[in-house]
Amino acid sequence: MNKYKILVVEDDTSVKNLMATTLKSHDYQYLIARNGAEALLEASSHNPDIMLLDLGLPDMDGIEIIKNIRSWSNMPIIVVSARNEDTDKIEALDAGADDYLTKPFSVEELLARIRTTQRRMEIMMVDSEQTSSKFTNGDLVIDYAAGCVYLRGEELHLTPIEYKLLCLLSKNVGKVLTHTYITEHIWGSSWENDVASLRVFMATLRKKIEISKESPQYIQTHIGVGYRMLKVE
Ligand code: CA
């Protein structure tokens, strides 16, 4: 049995069944909630590891559930919703969701998002156990204590903003961070100018760490939403 317990919050029977079958066949433990009230009850009483959350629920909006959960738990929340506007994604991510998958989705995509979330949780656990001051991802090494970054063993020369950006992304590896989240952490505000500056700094940072501009290995762009650092195998 997989050690991860997943709470599926979904009112649509066919989607719920698809998720349940998928999780079961991959040895995940799972719980089902058909509305917001059940979701909050299951989340608080069974302490699942990951929540898959539909936004359009009969009794409350999924955004309210994210806000409620975030007031007491860091449990990863992957939104699985038919709402596909950037503003919907941004609202959910800003409320505290970790990832966003749009319906209709493929089973492979769902499983990949769950695995990404698991890896992020494992990294966070290792970090807190060792209070490690070093982050390693593929050929990229960040020595937080020394404030140095190495790529394939060579030290990289980053500007202070590029370094802050890279640290923020690395500390949230696997998680989509919205433009607002990033600019608030880097500049303390989220003016439109900051988002424009963010694009510029992100471009210079990527030039330094990515081999190919067309298929970036480390930093993924979510157009209109934000960025995510990928865990490199
Ligand atoms: Ca629904």
Side-chain angles (χ1 to χ4, degrees):
M1 189 63 100
N2 194 305
K3 61 180 170 155
Y4 286 93
K5 195 183 339 173
I6 300 184
L7 172 57
V8 175
V9 184
E10 178 60 70
D11 61 323
D12 183 311
T13 308
S14 58
V15 178
K16 183 190 74 197
N17 290 345
L18 173 66
M19 285 180 168
T21 311
T22 304
L23 294 174
K24 200 174 174 181
S25 65
H26 287 80
D27 287 333
Y28 285 101
Q29 302 177 56
Y30 65 91
L31 303 156
I32 303 272
R34 291 165 190 83
N35 55 51
E38 277 183 27
L40 294 174
L41 183 67
E42 293 287 341
S44 58
S45 53
H46 291 104
N47 200 24
D49 298 298
I50 298 174
M51 180 189 273
L52 300 179
L53 177 66
D54 177 29
L55 293 181
L57 295 166
D59 58 340
M60 70 177 86
D61 194 274
I63 299 291
E64 295 311 311
I65 297 176
I66 300 172
K67 288 179 182 161
N68 182 305
I69 299 280
R70 278 295 166 267
S71 67
W72 58 271
S73 167
N74 286 323
M75 161 197 322
I77 301 173
I78 304 175
V79 169
V80 185
S81 173
R83 298 180 196 167
N84 59 3
E85 299 288 330
D86 288 346
T87 49
D88 297 319
K89 294 179 190 171
I90 290 164
E91 190 186 14
L93 294 166
D94 278 342
D98 294 80
D99 204 348
Y100 199 105
L101 184 59
T102 307
K103 290 177 186 169
F105 58 88
S106 75
V107 164
E108 288 70 28
E109 177 82 25
L110 177 69
L111 290 168
R113 301 294 182 98
I114 292 172
R115 284 194 301 270
T116 303
T117 304
Q118 283 174 226
R119 280 200 294 271
R120 191 166 72 79
M121 289 162 72
E122 279 156 16
I123 290 165
M124 279 163 58
M125 251 183 276
V126 170
D127 263 7
S128 62
E129 273 166 18
Q130 308 176 338
T131 51
S132 160
S133 64
K134 262 192 190 161
F135 168 86
T136 304
N137 187 11
D139 292 327
L140 181 71
V141 176
I142 307 173
D143 185 337
Y144 296 126
C148 297
V149 180
Y150 301 89
L151 187 69
R152 290 179 289 279
E154 302 258 328
E155 189 175 354
L156 284 185
H157 298 282
L158 302 182
T159 66
I161 298 271
E162 288 166 359
Y163 178 71
K164 271 173 93 173
L165 264 176
L166 189 64
C167 288
L168 186 64
L169 288 163
S170 67
K171 285 177 176 166
N172 293 283
V173 65
K175 180 169 175 168
V176 180
L177 302 180
T178 64
H179 295 134
T180 306
Y181 181 92
I182 298 173
T183 55
E184 276 175 355
H185 279 77
I186 304 288
W187 289 285
S189 67
S190 56
W191 298 104
E192 258 173 52
N193 280 344
D194 295 331
V195 176
S197 308
L198 173 61
R199 288 209 177 86
V200 174
F201 285 110
M202 198 60 91
T204 60
L205 173 61
R206 291 171 118 174
K207 218 176 258 176
K208 292 178 184 177
I209 67 167
E210 302 286 8
I211 297 169
S212 155
K213 198 183 167 197
E214 286 68 37
S215 50
Q217 195 183 9
Y218 293 105
I219 302 172
Q220 189 183 50
T221 303
H222 288 248
I223 295 163
V225 177
Y227 300 93
R228 173 204 329 243
M229 179 177 281
L230 300 169
K231 183 79 189 113
V232 177
E233 299 296 334

